Amino acid sequence: MTDDGGQLTIPELAEYCRTQAGLLSGRVQTIGEEADDLLDEIDEDIAGMRTRLADQGAPTAAEPPATAAGEDDVEDLEQLEEELQTKQALVEAKQTRMELFQDLAAGYVELAEELETDLDDWQAALDRVVSFERDADAPAYFDERETLLEAVATSGDSTPD
């Protein structure tokens, strides 16, 4: 139902799906920028590590690394390595998240096309959108925006099983 109590039209539902896809695509771009920033940090950390090692000189076979670089330096390098691994894990998590957002965005686009070509009843179209959002757990992707699934659930309207 619309704010004025009228029924949603199929073109309005299709536009809703396209809007949701656009919002998801924007979020993918933001997450991508965050991942790029982390990758830049990783590159800077690795370059710093290489410079530090080069400045200290490589240990010889007769000299263990702790003796050549000092205990504090070895601990610092080990800590840096852990930080790099943590950042790499964050990048991988962001990449996975981006894929999930992209998949949901693509699903919304396909749904918009399906609504416009395959359905001629607004209630069937609404039920299809609500089912899609339930199956995809769409509300989890929209922190600051209510999905149709949530709107239908809070309005008390019946939803498809």
Side-chain angles (χ1 to χ4, degrees), residues 111-131:
L111 179 57
E113 292 170 5
E114 175 186 325
L115 295 176
E116 292 177 325
T117 59
D118 296 345
L119 298 173
D120 55 4
D121 174 50
W122 77 269
Q123 184 65 52
L126 177 62
D127 291 348
R128 180 66 186 98
V129 172
V130 170
S131 292

Side-chain angles (χ1 to χ4, degrees), residues 128-148:
R128 180 66 186 98
V129 172
V130 170
S131 292
F132 170 80
E133 289 186 338
R134 183 184 315 110
D135 293 346
D137 194 22
Y141 293 82
F142 297 97
D143 297 332
E144 299 174 10
R145 181 176 169 95
E146 185 177 58
T147 62
L148 277 177

